[in-house]
Amino acid sequence: MIPQFVVEHSPALMVVVPLLAAFVAPFSGKVSHAARAVLVGGAMGITSLLALVLASDVYAHGTRIYVFGAGSAALAVPPDSGGIPVRIVFAVDQMGALMLVIAAVSSLSVIVYSLASERGHSGLGNFYTLFLLMVTGILGMVSTGDVFNFFVFLEILSIASAGLVAFRIDGGPAVEAAIKYFVLSTLGAFAILIAIGIYYGEYNALNMALIAQRMQFTLLDKVALALFVAALAMKCGAVPMHFWTPDAYSMAPSSVTALLVVASQASLYGLFRVVFSLYGVVLNAACVGWFVIVLGVLSMVVGVTMAIPQKNVKRLMAYHAISQTGYMLLGVGVGLAVLGNRPFLEAFGYMAMEGGLFHIINHAMYKGLLFLTAGAIFYRVGTYDLNRMGGLGHSMKWTMVFFIIGALAIAGIPPFNGFASKLMIYESVFAFNPALSVIAMVVSILTLASFVKVFHSIFMGPVLPEYRDVEEVPLPMLAGMGILALVVVFFGLFPSLVVDTLVAPAAHALADRGMYIAAVLSGGA
Amino acid sequence: MADILLVLDTGTGFWNPVAWILGAAVAGAIALLLYALGERGYKEGTPQEEPFLSGNPEPGGGLLHVRAGNLYWGFLDAMGGYYERLVSLHTGDLHDYVLWYMGISALFLVAVVVFR
């Protein structure tokens, strides 16, 4: 049904379509609002479709290599290049495909939502330009097989994100949040650029697979590893480098915040790609694994405890995003810590990684949903202050239902998707270290307590006089939330389907460094 | 096939959401049965529906709603020492953000070099 040409060139097209649409968006707005809506909605729909087509192709046939400027993937390493892949190469394995699925579903829901939530605001041409550039950056980061292109896409993402964080200027705080985000992102990107320079100086290569093949783990490689891991851990909001997260998440428009969650996860993907695919068993997996685990535990505990006293619903949710990132770091960190120990890896390492990766896709769905519900509340009542809310369950019933689904999922309550991934993490991490599992469970209880407070504050109680005329949000906003809510419920009811078809292949692809290197350097699966 | 679709293997156990939902439905049916056997003197649209506040009239203007700032006061008070330290770390100062980032980078580098 999908033309072979489209399937063949989907890696390039899924980046080109949003990139071109980004620069056409301001002009389309000159025609009419409807023309712009058709353009950005259509472009995002096509991009999501392309990403899903590519992901399904990868799951069906194995790693896809796409070489820009060459007729076939077999020319990834040109015959006259001395064994070096000199062209720009996209390498999408099952891990990358999993991230493509996350980005496609989330971005599509968010754009549908934003067509209603942002209507009536000024500067929408610029808004959608930056929004589509964010999508371009995310898709590029999870598709590229080249460290320098990873840096380029990371920069596209960071610049567009900073612009959108500051987009609704709110007497200065939004601009301040954007500056903080931008300064830290630039420092992180600078560190990554130095690391890339180290690789290039040592191995004469920028291709990840070739660097991995030639990796010696010299002192310089350790410096590069530290620069890469710290920068990407900061970008994904790991404690104690998380301070920018509540600032940026709370000030950005809610549709942007939902996409910032996916952007953070693209950085998490980068972190995993570096430690597993670039270094793998070459590094001291136990040391780096424990470092990731400690970051994960700190993120879980500090994130959730800082969320409880918050009065601003978006700051509260931002701290929960940090806390949930901790689960992902914990699960994958345990897998990394036992990477060199085959029996442990088989016994619980893979399961921990699968739990961590499953939690990434679940988190993107329910946290995106929760941020969209926060945006829906703001759309009607004009405040994020929980102390000023109450009784909205009488008038915003659908938003309340979507909030309940998201809140129960993030708290790990069955049968929603968050429970399934957390259960996998609890049980596998318990086999590694019971104390870590107990901490994870306590954090879930605190998460539930925090969201009970939010639910009560926003939706329960009598109708407040100032909100007597509040109505439900427009249909496109409900549709955006509905897509994510459906995914949350479906993944909760059929977790094994998701784990077996999407997550387990991704975890094995991530752990199998040799397969990644062979696939890229031979031109595909 | 049904097992593959419905039962999630967690390594040391398993999870079947559909069985859980069926169990929850049975528990809900029992709860509904008990509820149906309860007080039969309830009449809609009578003063029985109004809250009883020790004989005082119900305050209006949203005063009945317990606001977010009043929730979990006991928990936050009991954890006061912890929060005093934790909140003070969140200064909002960009210099501190950068210092934490640099510090963790340096710490990780030392750990990677030392623990080879």
Side-chain angles (χ1 to χ4, degrees):
Chain A
M1 195 168 70
I2 307 283
Q4 188 55 34
F5 170 83
V6 174
V7 177
E8 193 182 330
H9 295 285
S10 54
L13 289 172
M14 79 181 173
V15 173
V16 168
V17 170
L19 192 61
L20 287 179
F23 291 106
V24 178
F27 299 105
S28 65
K30 303 291 180 194
V31 179
S32 69
H33 284 298
R36 183 170 49 219
V38 169
L39 175 83
V40 296
M44 197 60 248
I46 292 169
T47 304
S48 296
L49 183 67
L50 288 166
L52 292 175
V53 164
L54 176 58
S56 66
D57 185 58
V58 169
Y59 278 110
H61 303 112
T63 305
R64 270 288 298 279
I65 306 302
Y66 189 86
V67 187
F68 288 81
S72 100
L75 292 172
V77 183
D80 55 351
S81 68
I84 297 173
V86 290
R87 295 189 175 100
I88 294 172
V89 174
F90 272 15
V92 184
D93 62 0
Q94 287 85 346
M95 180 63 210
L98 176 73
M99 298 304 297
L100 287 177
V101 172
I102 295 170
V105 176
S106 301
S107 308
L108 187 62
S109 322
V110 169
I111 205 96
V112 170
Y113 176 96
S114 69
L115 288 175
S117 69
E118 300 306 319
R119 192 175 169 82
H121 287 113
S122 59
L124 286 182
N126 301 334
F127 177 89
Y128 285 115
T129 296
L130 293 171
F131 190 98
L132 289 165
L133 285 176
M134 269 187 85
V135 174
T136 306
I138 292 168
L139 294 175
M141 278 173 70
V142 301
S143 304
T144 188
D146 179 303
V147 281
F148 187 75
N149 277 288
F150 180 85
F151 163 77
V152 171
F153 284 116
L154 180 73
E155 279 294 85
I156 291 173
L157 174 62
S158 298
I159 293 167
S161 302
L164 284 173
V165 168
F167 207 78
R168 299 279 170 248
I169 297 170
D170 184 17
V175 178
E176 184 187 332
I179 288 173
K180 287 174 178 173
Y181 173 79
F182 194 64
V183 168
L184 282 170
S185 293
T186 306
L187 273 176
F190 186 57
I192 287 173
L193 192 59
I194 292 173
I196 292 168
I198 289 172
Y199 296 138
Y200 191 64
E202 275 195 291
Y203 303 119
N204 202 24
L206 294 171
N207 184 278
M208 287 186 200
L210 190 64
I211 294 170
Q213 190 189 44
R214 295 179 174 182
M215 179 61 67
Q216 301 294 313
F217 205 47
T218 61
L219 181 63
L220 279 174
D221 290 328
K222 292 173 186 172
V223 172
L225 174 68
L227 292 172
F228 243 118
V229 169
L232 291 170
M234 181 269 291
K235 287 284 289 177
C236 72
V239 171
M241 298 173 287
H242 65 291
F243 299 101
W244 65 270
T245 315
D247 296 341
Y249 280 24
S250 62
M251 294 317 300
S254 288
S255 52
V256 173
T257 313
L259 202 58
L260 279 174
V261 172
V262 184
S264 294
Q265 293 181 338
S267 296
L268 200 59
Y269 161 85
L271 194 159
F272 295 159
R273 182 59 81 198
V274 167
V275 293
F276 282 98
S277 300
L278 266 187
Y279 288 85
V281 287
V282 176
L283 52 72
N284 183 348
C287 169
V288 181
W290 267 105
F291 182 80
V292 174
I293 290 168
V294 170
L295 286 183
V297 172
L298 281 174
S299 301
M300 284 193 299
V301 175
V302 172
V304 77
T305 50
M306 277 302 290
I308 289 174
Q310 298 302 318
K311 310 292 186 300
N312 178 310
V313 64
K314 283 187 73 184
R315 279 190 84 83
L316 181 146
M317 288 183 182
Y319 278 112
H320 279 296
I322 293 166
S323 176
Q324 298 303 305
T325 302
Y327 283 94
M328 302 159 207
L329 289 169
L330 174 63
V332 180
V334 167
L336 182 61
V338 298
L339 191 62
N341 187 328
R342 198 76 202 170
F344 282 0
L345 191 64
E346 296 286 350
F348 57 83
Y350 278 127
M351 189 56 68
M353 286 177 66
E354 287 172 19
L357 297 180
F358 191 24
H359 206 63
I360 291 181
I361 191 166
N362 288 340
H363 179 246
M365 301 305 141
Y366 62 63
K367 182 55 78 177
L369 174 61
L370 285 168
F371 275 121
L372 294 188
T373 58
I377 301 294
F378 182 80
Y379 184 81
R380 283 305 187 207
V381 303
T383 180
Y384 290 118
D385 186 352
L386 288 168
N387 277 327
R388 293 172 56 193
M389 296 183 196
L392 293 172
H394 296 276
S395 50
M396 301 180 74
K397 291 188 172 58
W398 280 107
T399 303
M400 181 175 70
V401 169
F402 293 141
F403 178 88
I404 291 171
I405 291 172
L408 293 177
I410 195 173
I413 300 297
F416 298 99
N417 62 352
F419 173 78
S421 48
K422 283 185 177 180
L423 183 67
M424 292 170 74
I425 293 172
Y426 297 152
E427 293 202 0
S428 51
V429 171
F430 189 87
F432 176 72
N433 186 321
L436 297 174
S437 188
V438 171
I439 293 171
M441 283 185 261
V442 171
V443 168
S444 265
I445 295 166
L446 292 174
T447 305
L448 179 63
S450 178
F451 274 93
V452 166
K453 165 186 152 178
V454 179
F455 177 70
H456 171 86
S457 306
I458 298 176
F459 296 106
M460 300 297 280
V463 179
L464 300 184
E466 59 268 39
Y467 303 135
R468 205 176 299 283
D469 300 326
V470 164
E471 295 173 357
E472 187 54 275
V473 291
L475 190 60
M477 291 176 73
L478 290 177
M481 292 187 276
I483 294 171
L484 293 177
L486 276 177
V487 176
V488 168
V489 173
F490 182 81
F491 281 13
L493 291 179
F494 304 104
S496 53
L497 187 67
V498 184
V499 170
D500 292 346
T501 54
L502 296 180
V503 178
H508 283 79
L510 193 60
D512 195 343
R513 179 168 171 262
M515 189 182 73
Y516 178 80
I517 295 170
V520 176
L521 297 183
S522 66
Chain B
M1 183 62 186
D3 281 356
I4 295 170
L5 275 176
L6 301 175
V7 180
L8 175 68
D9 178 15
T10 59
T12 51
F14 68 92
W15 159 242
N16 187 334
V18 175
W20 187 89
I21 288 173
L22 289 175
V26 170
I30 293 170
L32 201 63
L33 185 69
L34 292 173
Y35 173 78
L37 296 173
E39 176 60 51
R40 293 177 185 281
Y42 172 74
K43 294 181 185 65
E44 283 188 31
T46 64
Q48 282 182 327
E49 282 190 339
E50 294 173 9
F52 179 72
L53 302 171
S54 302
N56 296 314
E58 181 184 343
L63 290 175
L64 269 184
H65 184 51
V66 181
R67 307 280 177 154
N70 297 319
L71 294 170
Y72 299 149
W73 176 87
F75 174 80
L76 296 173
D77 192 56
M79 301 283 285
Y82 171 76
Y83 275 109
E84 201 175 312
R85 287 169 181 80
L86 189 63
V87 173
S88 65
L89 292 176
H90 294 74
T91 57
D93 187 338
L94 183 57
H95 295 93
D96 294 340
Y97 295 11
V98 173
L99 278 175
W100 275 106
Y101 167 51
M102 293 297 182
I104 294 298
S105 301
L107 186 68
F108 182 53
L109 178 60
V110 170
V112 172
V113 171
V114 171
F115 296 104
R116 176 66 177 115

